[in-house]
Amino acid sequence: MTKLSLNVIPPPREPQVGSTPPSAVVLSEPMRRFKCNLKGCCCSGWDIPFRLEDFLRLNDHLQGAEKEDLTHGIKLILEGEPDEKTGQQILDSLKLDGVGEDRACRFLAPDKGCSVHARYGPTALPDLCVDFPAFGYKQEDGRVELFFDPVCPEVLEQLDETDEPLRLFTQPGFFGDEGLDLRVAHTEDTISGRIGKDKVALLALDRIRHSSVEAFATTGPENPVWRPLAALAHAFRRLRIGNEGVFEVVEPEDPQPFLVFLFECIGAHGADLLAATAFRYQRFVWSIDPKPLLVPALAENLQDWKPAFERWLEPQEELLRPLQARWLAHRFGTPMVKGRGDLREAADSIAHVYGTSLRFAAAYGAVLQRPVDRDIYKAALGTAEFFFRSLNLPRESLPWFSAR
Ligand code: SF4
């Protein structure tokens, strides 16, 4: 048996909220009203990684047997190799073993709410549990960006709350809302946009993202979402250091090359892998009952997707357009969160998710034998987001247009 000695030196921690307000916080406007559904979808299926300080804070709040049991079934994730002289190694994170077949968090109550949150409030929770589905990033001018991940079904519900074009919102300082302010206070990672290896100046970056969001405000029956998406893909493809200040979103004379790329995105992945993702994502699906989808016919319709696409999805284009336009504006509002910050790769990555969402939607419609409505599409969009979030696909396995 290997004996391990722990010398605990917790990092210094800023007070969680209220000390230094950020100069501003930028987020998608609908996310100001985000509320978790308290159904525990993100509290199972994985061993949640805690940082040491999260763990110590939790330990401070728990009482009696629960406190004593906290260290049972704990895994230490260590960083790098042990120091040659001292044998010491840095602790990256701690993982608490999940409970049962679906590896649920041990603090998940039978009603699927969080028992730590219910008893001790959000300040007792590990940061990750407070923050998800938001990811905070600091800009070099002190602004904080809060990006809400559409893997979460309530983010999709917020996007679907109206048909109005989505806008970005800038909040001066804190919100006065505990959930949002804790997420802002936890923000440590920085963010910037690049073209290749070169960093894009903040002013140009803001112009690019605002033009991108604006592009989806003009969709309508005569202007389906693929048109502004094609115009944006061309604008990102023209992007070079030197011309980043003139980011013009103009519809291409010939949309055919973009449409070829979009169809490559739709057909890019193996049906079995996609069907397995739908199975793993089911705990996040609340807009429809996911159980009837998880049948062998799903893989068949994902494989042979074109007939399903024509019958169950294409006639629904106008019904789905407002939601698709809002999701695309939400994603392009912070495009640099993908593609390791390269703007052209990030733009193509959004098209990858969009294409895959269409493939899931068509197959879901075919399995359910009904036209794809918004509730089916939300399930499809979330599954596509989850597919790219949970798999680290090699660059060469994906089609590229702007970043070709
Ligand atoms: S996935 Fe979203 S809605 Fe579901 S429990 Fe997590 S934060 Fe709440």
Side-chain angles (χ1 to χ4, degrees):
M1 194 208 299
T2 312
K3 273 204 169 175
L4 201 66
S5 135
L6 268 185
N7 180 21
V8 178
I9 311 170
R13 188 175 165 87
E14 297 278 329
Q16 289 205 21
V17 176
S19 50
T20 325
S23 59
V25 186
V26 183
L27 76 172
S28 265
E29 196 283 334
M31 299 308 143
R32 295 164 71 198
R33 294 173 291 288
F34 173 84
K35 289 273 176 284
C36 169
N37 63 17
L38 302 180
K39 290 178 176 163
C41 15
C42 59
C43 310
S44 59
W46 62 315
D47 298 328
I48 298 167
F50 293 160
R51 294 179 313 168
L52 180 59
E53 62 214 274
D54 293 326
F55 187 78
L56 296 175
R57 191 166 64 240
L58 193 55
N59 184 57
D60 286 346
H61 283 86
L62 296 178
Q63 316 278 334
E66 220 176 17
K67 190 182 187 99
E68 278 162 32
D69 284 350
L70 185 60
T71 50
H72 290 173
I74 195 168
K75 259 184 260 155
L76 303 183
I77 312 298
L78 302 171
E79 200 180 287
E81 295 298 317
D83 183 276
E84 277 180 16
K85 284 189 193 140
T86 62
Q88 288 177 349
Q89 209 169 351
I90 293 172
L91 180 66
D92 175 74
S93 58
L94 304 124
K95 290 190 174 184
L96 293 186
D97 268 358
V99 180
E101 251 181 48
D102 60 355
R103 285 156 57 218
C105 172
R106 64 176 70 171
F107 299 108
L108 197 59
D111 67 356
K112 300 294 181 196
C114 170
S115 66
V116 174
H117 190 165
R119 283 175 294 162
Y120 309 112
T123 49
L125 294 173
D127 286 359
L128 185 67
C129 305
V130 174
D131 297 346
F132 190 81
F135 293 88
Y137 302 94
K138 276 188 184 152
Q139 290 279 21
E140 62 191 21
D141 64 357
R143 272 181 295 170
V144 169
E145 306 268 348
L146 273 189
F147 174 69
F148 281 74
D149 190 335
V151 159
C152 164
E154 285 306 309
V155 170
L156 293 166
E157 292 301 333
Q158 282 307 135
L159 293 176
D160 198 25
E161 69 178 348
T162 164
D163 287 2
E164 291 299 308
L166 180 137
R167 306 283 176 198
L168 295 179
F169 178 82
T170 303
Q171 166 73 23
F174 282 121
F175 292 83
D177 171 294
E178 191 173 38
L180 290 171
D181 289 342
L182 276 171
R183 290 176 169 109
V184 172
H186 292 165
T187 298
E188 285 174 353
D189 293 344
T190 54
I191 195 168
S192 59
R194 290 182 293 101
I195 300 173
K197 291 196 174 99
D198 298 303
K199 205 165 151 184
V200 177
L202 210 45
L203 204 61
L205 198 58
D206 275 341
R207 192 184 140 87
I208 290 168
R209 66 201 298 215
H210 281 107
S211 305
S212 303
V213 170
E214 201 49 44
F216 295 104
T218 57
T219 65
E222 305 301 318
N223 189 25
V225 289
W226 68 262
R227 287 186 186 277
L229 190 57
L232 268 179
H234 279 268
F236 276 98
R237 182 141 98 163
R238 287 191 296 270
L239 204 52
R240 300 277 181 277
I241 285 294
N243 77 4
E244 73 274 25
V246 234
F247 183 78
E248 278 187 312
V249 187
V250 184
E251 206 174 308
E253 270 177 31
D254 179 9
Q256 206 51 33
F258 171 78
L259 288 174
V260 169
F261 162 66
L262 185 56
F263 272 79
E264 283 171 2
C265 292
I266 298 170
H269 307 288
D272 289 340
L273 188 57
L274 293 171
T277 302
F279 186 83
R280 289 196 294 131
Y281 186 67
Q282 62 175 304
R283 67 182 190 275
F284 290 88
V285 177
W286 299 97
S287 59
I288 54 171
D289 177 3
K291 288 279 177 305
L293 297 173
L294 306 173
V295 292
L298 179 62
E300 288 158 23
N301 283 289
L302 284 164
Q303 176 68 36
D304 192 16
W305 56 271
K306 286 183 186 151
F309 197 93
E310 280 163 22
R311 179 161 180 203
W312 303 110
L313 183 63
E314 253 178 27
Q316 300 298 95
E317 186 175 70
E318 180 49 22
L319 178 85
L320 302 177
R321 176 186 51 76
L323 171 60
Q324 292 176 329
R326 283 169 63 81
W327 170 76
L328 283 161
H330 174 77
R331 288 303 241 99
F332 275 95
T334 316
M336 52 281 193
V337 297
K338 296 296 289 176
R340 295 171 301 279
D342 180 85
L343 296 179
R344 294 170 303 191
E345 276 202 27
D348 282 355
S349 300
I350 298 170
H352 295 156
V353 184
Y354 178 58
T356 304
S357 78
L358 298 180
R359 177 120 163 248
F360 275 120
Y364 288 175
V367 171
L368 299 174
Q369 290 287 292
R370 60 181 165 102
V372 176
D373 59 17
R374 296 237 197 138
D375 287 339
I376 297 178
Y377 188 66
K378 278 179 273 186
L381 198 44
T383 320
E385 290 274 14
F386 186 73
F387 178 77
F388 287 94
R389 187 82 66 268
S390 53
L391 296 173
N392 199 3
L393 298 166
R395 194 184 191 283
E396 55 279 11
S397 70
L398 293 160
W400 298 95
F401 183 81
S402 307
R404 186 165 285 169

